[in-house]
Amino acid sequence: MEKTVGIIGGMGPLATVDIFNKIVRMTDAKIDQDHVRIVIDNNPGIPSRQDFFNGIGESPLPALIKTARSLEEMGAELIIMPCNTAHYFHRDIAKNTKIPFINMLEETAGYFSENFTDEKKVGLLATTQTCDLGIYDHFLNANGVEVVKPSAENQAYLMEIINVYIKQGNMNFDLDKWKEIIEELKEQGVETVILGCTELSIAFDVHPLEINTIDPTIVLAEAAIKASGKKVLSRI
C-alpha cells in the first residue's frame, strides 16, 4: 500500500528543496503517477536550534510538534525531517504524532555499518550543537563505531561555512580551509565522513573533496521512498 510522505521543512528552506529534489530524482518513475506523494510544511518560523542550545533562544519543540501535526492533517502517513540538529527532539515529536517518523540519524548509522564493514571510525561534519549533543554518537557507538570530529578551530570554520555562506546562498568560502578540515580527519584514520548538516551536503555538491562521504539526506530519501511503497531508481 502506497503512503504519503510528510516533510517537516524550513530548517532551512534550501535543505527542504534539496530533500524534495532527491526523493523525486531517486524514485523509479516513468510517469507522474509513479512518483511519491509528498506534503511539505516549509516552516522557517521554527525557532533556531542553535540559539536554543546556546541558551539564547526558545525551544523549537512546540513548533516542531505543531508542524508534524499539520502534516498529519494534510494527509501525511509518515514523516521525515531533513535537519540533523532537530533530531535531538525526534522522540518527543514522534510521541505527539500518530504516524511513523523515520529517524535520519539512525538510518545513516545503519547505512555506514552495513556498507563500510572494515571501518571502525567515521568522521562527522555537523553543527557544533549536533556534535556536542552526541546524537550521531548514540547510534554509531552502539554499532561499535568511533566518531571523529574536527578540532575546535576547524569546527568554528565549519559553522562559518554553514551560517555565513551556505544559508545565505554564497558558495565562495575558503577552499583551503575546507580541504584542511578533511585532511585533519584523515590524519586521525578517517576514511569516510558523514555530512551531518544538510547545508554541508549542499556544499560538497559544489566543492567535492577526496574522501568517501555519506549524505544522510540521500539515505533518508531512499528510506522515505521505500517506506512510501515506491521503488528506488538509484542513489545520486
Side-chain angles (χ1 to χ4, degrees):
M1 181 178 176
E2 295 177 2
K3 295 182 178 181
T4 300
V5 175
I7 301 176
I8 299 177
M11 304 177 290
L14 187 58
T16 306
V17 172
D18 181 58
I19 190 69
F20 179 51
N21 178 55
K22 283 171 178 168
I23 292 173
V24 171
R25 290 173 61 194
M26 289 171 61
T27 302
D28 187 1
K30 304 287 190 299
I31 57 175
D32 291 348
Q33 291 75 17
D34 291 337
H35 280 282
V36 180
R37 185 177 182 186
I38 299 172
V39 292
I40 301 171
D41 189 340
N42 185 60
N43 183 4
I46 295 171
S48 167
R49 285 66 58 205
Q50 294 180 30
D51 286 351
F52 173 68
F53 289 116
N54 286 335
I56 57 173
E58 64 182 293
S59 171
L61 181 58
L64 288 167
I65 292 172
K66 185 177 180 180
T67 305
R69 286 176 172 170
S70 79
L71 292 170
E72 282 189 86
E73 292 171 1
M74 287 189 281
E77 295 165 283
L78 63 96
I79 293 175
I80 62 173
M81 182 170 65
C83 175
N84 290 268
T85 307
H87 272 75
Y88 174 82
F89 303 99
H90 175 271
R91 287 185 179 180
D92 289 321
I93 300 169
K95 284 192 298 187
N96 285 278
T97 53
K98 299 175 183 177
I99 57 179
F101 187 173
I102 300 174
N103 188 314
M104 178 169 65
L105 282 61
E106 185 174 10
E107 294 287 334
T108 300
Y111 177 81
F112 177 80
S113 294
E114 290 171 13
N115 292 276
F116 298 86
T117 54
D118 293 335
E119 297 180 32
K120 295 304 177 185
K121 289 184 178 182
V122 66
L124 178 63
L125 300 182
T127 65
T128 301
Q129 292 74 26
T130 296
C131 290
D132 290 348
L133 291 168
I135 49 179
Y136 265 105
D137 305 50
H138 171 75
F139 296 108
L140 288 159
N141 292 167
N143 294 338
V145 178
E146 177 187 349
V147 180
V148 181
K149 303 165 187 175
S151 63
E153 179 184 352
N154 282 334
Q155 182 62 39
Y157 183 65
L158 266 184
M159 292 302 290
E160 183 178 339
I161 291 175
I162 293 167
N163 292 321
V164 178
Y165 290 91
I166 304 170
K167 281 187 178 290
Q168 297 183 31
N170 181 1
M171 295 296 176
N172 297 316
F173 47 83
D174 188 337
L175 293 183
D176 288 336
K177 285 287 293 181
W178 184 227
K179 293 174 184 176
E180 183 181 315
I181 294 168
I182 298 301
E183 290 306 314
E184 177 188 58
L185 295 178
K186 284 183 175 180
E187 289 172 3
Q188 297 181 67
V190 168
E191 299 177 38
T192 302
V193 296
I194 293 172
L195 305 177
C197 174
T198 41
E199 279 77 18
L200 292 177
S201 68
I202 295 167
F204 253 85
D205 285 343
V206 178
H207 302 299
L209 297 174
E210 294 182 1
I211 194 167
N212 296 326
T213 60
I214 298 175
D215 182 344
T217 60
I218 292 178
V219 176
L220 181 62
E222 182 172 345
I225 294 166
K226 290 178 178 177
S228 78
K230 297 292 187 178
K231 294 181 180 179
V232 177
L233 175 63
S234 65
R235 287 179 166 267
I236 55 175

